[in-house]
Structure formats: structure tokens, C-alpha cells
Amino acid sequence: MVRRRPADTPLTDLCEEPETIADVGKAVDYADQALSRAESIREFRLVAGELTGENGLLTPSLKVGRHAGAEAHEAEIEARYR
């Protein structure tokens, strides 16, 4: 059964929804098949927001800015390791 959501469902709600997390998990598992154990993603969290050059989360060459991402989501990262 496909669950229908309103088009204006906030991204923060979608990031916490088990169905969304499971779907992303399937994609991560699929991508991990091409990687060694050392390279694989063992755990992930969905965070609301956009990756743009304006907010510093995306570089001009369209790569994710790791340091900017770590700063922007510091609270979530810290909570993970408590």
C-alpha cells in the first residue's frame, strides 16, 4: 500500500517518518554493495534542509562541503555520540 501525503508535508516530518527512513535505507544498502566494508555506510540520519552554495553546504563543483555540513548539523552529530 502506498501512503499518500499532502504535498505541503514539512520536510522535518518526512525525515522522521519510518517509511521514508526505510526507503532511504534500501538505497544505502544498494549503494553499499559496490563498496568495501571499510567504505560502507553503517548508519545514517536524515536531516531537513537543502544543500546549496548559498548556505555553504555545496561547493562550486557540486560536492558536499563536509566541514560546513558538520557545523550546520553539529547538534545532531553530538547527540549521536552521547
Side-chain angles (χ1 to χ4, degrees):
M1 181 173 100
V2 175
R3 183 172 168 202
R4 301 281 183 213
R5 292 176 210 83
D8 61 348
T9 301
L11 188 54
T12 53
D13 291 351
L14 292 175
C15 288
E16 296 172 1
E17 189 172 278
E19 183 180 298
T20 303
I21 295 168
D23 288 345
V24 173
K26 288 177 189 174
V28 168
D29 291 342
Y30 179 77
D32 274 349
Q33 292 176 7
L35 303 172
S36 71
R37 172 79 175 139
E39 297 171 312
S40 67
I41 297 170
R42 294 184 185 100
E43 189 172 325
F44 67 91
R45 296 280 189 273
L46 300 179
V47 294
E50 293 185 35
L51 301 175
T52 66
E54 290 79 30
N55 66 14
L57 297 176
L58 199 61
T59 68
S61 60
L62 303 180
K63 296 177 186 166
V64 176
R66 289 186 195 185
H67 297 292
E71 287 177 16
H73 300 289
E74 184 175 3
E76 292 94 342
I77 295 168
E78 290 295 324
R80 167 63 186 101
Y81 291 103
R82 282 189 205 134

